[in-house]
Amino acid sequence: MKKKSLLGRFLVWRLKHINNRQFISMLAIIIGVTSGIAAVIIKNSVHFISSLLHRNSSPEYENILYVIYPTIGILMAVLFIKYVIRRPVRHGIPNVLYGISKSNAQISRHNMFSSVVTSALTVGFGGSVGLEGPSVATGAALGSNIGRLFHLNYKHITLLLGCACAGAMAAIFKAPIAAIVFALEVIMLDLTMWSLVPLLLASASAIITSYFFLGMDVLYPFKVQNGFIMSDLPYYIVLGIFTGLIATYFTKCYMFIHGIFEKIDSIYKRLIFGGLSLGVIIFFFPSLFGEGYDAINSSLSGNYSYLYNNSFFYSFQDSFWMIIVLLVMVIFFKVIASSITFGAGGIGGIFAPTLFMGVNAGVLFAKLVQHLGLRNLEVNNFALIGMAGMIAGVLHAPLTGLFLIADISGGYQLFVPLMITATVSYATVKTFETHSVYTIQLARRKELMTHDKDQNVLSLMRVTRLIEKDFSTVNSDSTLGELVKIIAKAHRNIFIVIDEANNFQGIVKLDDIREIMFQPEKYDEVFVRDLMVVPEVVIQHDESMADVASKYQYSDKFNLVVLNEGKYCGCVSRAQIFSTYRRMLKHFSED
């Protein structure tokens, strides 16, 4: 009680002395620092586990251990979730998007630490995923719960979620500008002066925290030898198409494997099947072990030894075509390995797999063009820009891809080709896939928030909150006389016909019986079932408001009946929907 009263006194003091914008800005700095610390803890935990495993293993047996390491890590993560958390730990960014769309921006408290533990175990033991999603999930959980602690409204908590996501991205990638773009483009916050200042503060405080603990070096040290050459323009366009097609393969393959694992009912069956499958893939392609950042740096420096080191292909290291084949194989199997890691129960992100595939796609493209004698391309530049193409394609976020790669590599001299490839890749993947890996499942369930305010407002509205229950009901076996007695006390002109079990039968409209109701001689001869009509359009209690709005748009009805498995729940009126929509739109659009 003492702590509660202390918080209460602070809230009263805050309302008197600090306005909302100032308070949100202060919280943005706090969230930036805490998100940065969370990202540092996750990254250092993975490095500690990975170095411990490699330190105690001998090179000749390392490949054999790769078969079992991922299964051990995922098993530990699954057991932690099942017996310690006892609640599902959802994947980071989709969980944030779901929270904004369907959970009133509330994210469970356990996400403040559960993603840290489970992702460290998954990735540290070789799960072929990244740490960005868990870092974002952890930061978002911090932002959500800080907002709830101070009793902020939905709009303010959503902004804090965006600040947390920007902070986590800024800290883990050391890319402050890209982090803000990510929050605006992927988390789908609106760019207003109200949101921009807290995002800047969160991103700046997070990257300073990261600098303090991890140093100021960029994630991918890259020195541009030759900048943009106009004659290379067609090849950057083709690279965009190439990465866009690979991004399409990424999304379709990810969803296909996700569907396979959804059909396996036991978590332990998923673990055994997925863990062993992942181990076999890593056994043949050791570069798929863990995040793959070392491989990315090697590729950017022109060293492709990661493709054949500790593998059966070592003796073919001097063969050009073997390098090409290995590049194709690691691109092909990376998304499979990542999808299996998720399906088996592991926790992680898809940023690292996307970057890994992008750098190898860029190298593959440039080397093939060179070998065919078409043009002598700068392979390292194409390796770098391939990452931007893949981020733009897989995440459906061309600006994030552009600024992220420029930020994390210091490659701003290649800004123009980055723009071209990212844009073309995005346009290519949109031809085949309307939604990204992050949003495709939410979109299928019509739970996705977008930059369209109308759609967002509709997605926040719930049928169950708009139901009006003051419509009089009548039994289908009742007589006209009994119906007239009900009409005498009613204030609506529609009467709902139900049976003894509350099953909906139809409706009686006052206008349809106005003449007969003044004929007393028929009161005992005519029954309600003879007067009722079955409406062509009804609403199910769990329908999305977008569907409800569409039903009203194409009908002339002012009230529609709401049903739950055939049972009558009430009615939703056109006027109630419109007034609620207007009220929420005003709140949503407020700057």
Side-chain angles (χ1 to χ4, degrees):
M1 290 295 294
K2 187 175 181 180
K3 289 184 178 179
K4 185 176 181 181
S5 62
L6 182 62
L7 176 62
R9 288 198 297 272
F10 171 77
L11 292 175
V12 172
W13 177 87
R14 196 275 292 183
L15 289 172
K16 291 180 179 178
H17 298 89
I18 305 175
N19 63 40
N20 278 337
R21 296 198 175 196
Q22 293 171 335
F23 190 57
I24 293 296
S25 296
M26 293 167 58
L27 291 181
I29 296 173
I30 295 171
I31 288 171
V33 172
T34 53
S35 298
I37 292 173
V40 169
I41 291 173
I42 292 177
K43 203 163 188 65
N44 285 339
S45 299
V46 168
H47 288 166
F48 173 76
I49 294 172
S50 183
S51 62
L52 197 64
L53 294 178
H54 287 86
R55 187 188 310 158
N56 295 325
S57 63
S58 125
E60 59 265 26
Y61 297 114
E62 204 165 59
N63 273 43
I64 300 295
L65 294 173
Y66 282 163
V67 176
I68 61 172
Y69 277 160
T71 305
I72 294 172
I74 296 173
L75 172 62
M76 294 171 69
V78 167
L79 292 176
F80 180 79
I81 294 170
K82 184 175 178 63
Y83 294 106
V84 179
I85 303 300
R86 298 181 181 179
R87 293 181 181 179
V89 179
R90 297 184 178 90
H91 300 306
I93 295 169
N95 190 34
V96 176
L97 294 174
Y98 178 84
I100 292 173
S101 176
K102 288 295 179 181
S103 299
N104 203 30
Q106 296 184 7
I107 298 177
S108 300
R109 290 184 178 87
H110 72 78
N111 284 287
M112 292 189 288
F113 64 91
S114 58
S115 293
V116 175
V117 177
T118 53
S119 63
L121 292 171
T122 300
V123 180
F125 278 87
S128 197
V129 290
L131 299 174
E132 312 76 25
S135 299
V136 168
T138 303
L142 289 166
S144 174
N145 285 281
I146 288 174
R148 288 159 63 186
L149 176 67
F150 292 111
H151 303 286
L152 301 181
N153 60 27
Y154 170 82
K155 176 187 172 183
H156 294 151
I157 295 178
T158 301
L159 179 55
L160 292 184
L161 285 180
C163 291
C165 293
M169 290 294 291
I172 202 163
F173 282 117
K174 299 181 181 177
I177 303 301
I180 295 172
V181 173
F182 169 81
L184 299 173
E185 190 173 34
V186 178
I187 305 302
M188 300 180 187
L189 292 180
D190 286 325
L191 180 59
T192 63
M193 290 308 296
W194 165 246
S195 63
L196 186 58
V197 172
L199 285 172
L200 285 167
L201 291 172
S203 184
S205 56
I207 197 170
I208 290 172
T209 303
S210 181
Y211 284 159
F212 180 80
F213 289 102
L214 301 177
M216 298 181 65
D217 297 332
V218 294
L219 191 60
Y220 301 125
F222 185 84
K223 186 174 182 180
V224 178
Q225 301 294 337
N226 296 298
F228 175 54
I229 302 172
M230 278 296 296
S231 53
D232 286 343
L233 177 61
Y235 296 97
Y236 288 119
I237 295 174
V238 177
L239 177 63
I241 297 172
F242 183 53
T243 52
L245 293 174
I246 296 175
T248 303
Y249 158 70
F250 189 113
T251 303
K252 290 185 179 296
C253 182
Y254 177 89
M255 293 307 299
F256 175 75
I257 294 176
H258 176 78
I260 292 175
F261 277 94
E262 273 195 332
K263 296 175 183 177
I264 304 175
D265 54 357
S266 169
I267 59 172
Y268 297 110
K269 288 180 182 178
R270 289 197 293 266
L271 171 66
I272 294 171
F273 171 68
L276 293 180
S277 300
L278 178 61
V280 170
I281 293 173
I282 296 176
F283 175 78
F284 286 102
F285 302 100
S287 60
L288 303 184
F289 184 93
E291 294 178 278
Y293 282 144
D294 290 339
I296 293 173
N297 274 323
S298 295
S299 182
L300 289 174
S301 64
N303 178 11
Y304 311 115
S305 60
Y306 64 91
L307 293 169
Y308 42 76
N309 278 349
N310 300 322
S311 75
F312 291 109
F313 311 108
Y314 186 79
S315 58
F316 300 99
Q317 59 180 302
D318 296 325
S319 168
F320 170 80
W321 286 110
M322 180 53 69
I323 291 178
I324 296 299
V325 169
L326 287 174
L327 285 169
V328 172
M329 296 302 282
V330 296
I331 293 170
F332 178 80
F333 278 109
K334 182 63 176 180
V335 64
I336 296 176
S338 299
S339 303
I340 290 175
T341 302
F342 290 127
I347 302 297
I350 65 168
F351 256 95
T354 302
L355 293 171
F356 180 90
M357 293 175 68
V359 75
N360 284 289
V363 171
L364 173 63
F365 176 81
K367 281 193 168 292
L368 283 175
V369 170
Q370 280 187 341
H371 189 76
L372 294 173
L374 299 175
R375 183 167 177 79
N376 185 26
L377 300 176
E378 188 72 36
V379 177
N380 292 355
N381 287 0
F382 276 77
L384 181 74
I385 293 167
M387 293 195 290
M390 280 300 294
I391 288 290
V394 173
L395 275 62
H396 287 212
L399 290 176
T400 299
L402 166 64
F403 284 101
L404 180 66
I405 302 307
D407 260 2
I408 64 182
S409 65
Y412 276 93
Q413 295 177 53
L414 298 173
F415 208 76
V416 173
L418 282 169
M419 291 174 62
I420 294 167
T421 300
T423 304
V424 173
S425 177
Y426 175 70
T428 301
V429 77
K430 287 289 282 187
T431 305
F432 302 98
E433 288 289 347
T434 306
H435 300 284
S436 71
V437 171
Y438 289 147
T439 61
I440 189 168
Q441 290 176 303
L442 292 174
R444 286 177 179 177
R445 298 195 299 264
K446 299 183 179 179
E447 297 171 344
L448 178 64
M449 297 282 281
T450 70
H451 290 291
D452 185 338
K453 284 190 175 66
D454 289 332
Q455 183 176 332
N456 290 342
V457 171
L458 288 175
S459 70
L460 290 171
M461 295 169 65
R462 303 287 185 273
V463 170
T464 52
R465 297 178 185 174
L466 300 175
I467 293 177
E468 299 175 42
K469 298 186 178 182
D470 58 341
F471 288 80
S472 300
T473 59
V474 60
N475 193 280
S476 57
D477 294 327
S478 298
T479 63
L480 174 60
E482 291 172 324
L483 175 60
V484 170
K485 291 179 181 178
I486 294 173
I487 293 174
K489 299 178 181 179
H491 62 278
R492 296 278 195 171
N493 60 0
I494 294 177
F495 302 89
I496 312 300
V497 183
I498 57 175
D499 62 13
E500 292 81 359
N502 196 42
N503 292 307
F504 175 72
Q505 302 290 302
I507 62 173
V508 175
K509 293 185 285 185
L510 185 61
D511 289 342
D512 293 344
I513 63 168
R514 197 176 298 277
E515 292 183 7
I516 195 174
M517 66 183 288
F518 293 109
Q519 301 177 26
E521 66 274 13
K522 295 185 178 181
Y523 280 6
D524 295 325
E525 299 176 2
V526 178
F527 293 89
V528 170
R529 61 176 173 268
D530 302 319
L531 302 172
M532 74 179 189
V533 294
V534 179
E536 296 179 1
V537 181
V538 296
I539 298 171
Q540 300 302 322
H541 79 289
D542 56 353
E543 272 193 80
S544 70
M545 284 307 303
D547 289 340
V548 174
S550 179
K551 288 182 177 180
Y552 271 110
Q553 182 180 355
Y554 296 106
S555 73
D556 58 352
K557 309 302 180 184
F558 289 94
N559 298 283
L560 291 179
V561 175
V562 181
L563 303 180
N564 182 2
E565 297 182 354
K567 305 287 186 181
Y568 171 69
C569 299
C571 293
V572 171
S573 69
R574 186 190 293 263
Q576 174 77 344
I577 291 175
F578 183 72
S579 62
T580 303
Y581 170 84
R582 291 285 296 174
R583 185 175 65 254
M584 294 185 68
L585 182 62
K586 182 179 179 181
H587 169 73
F588 206 91
S589 303
E590 182 185 0
D591 192 354

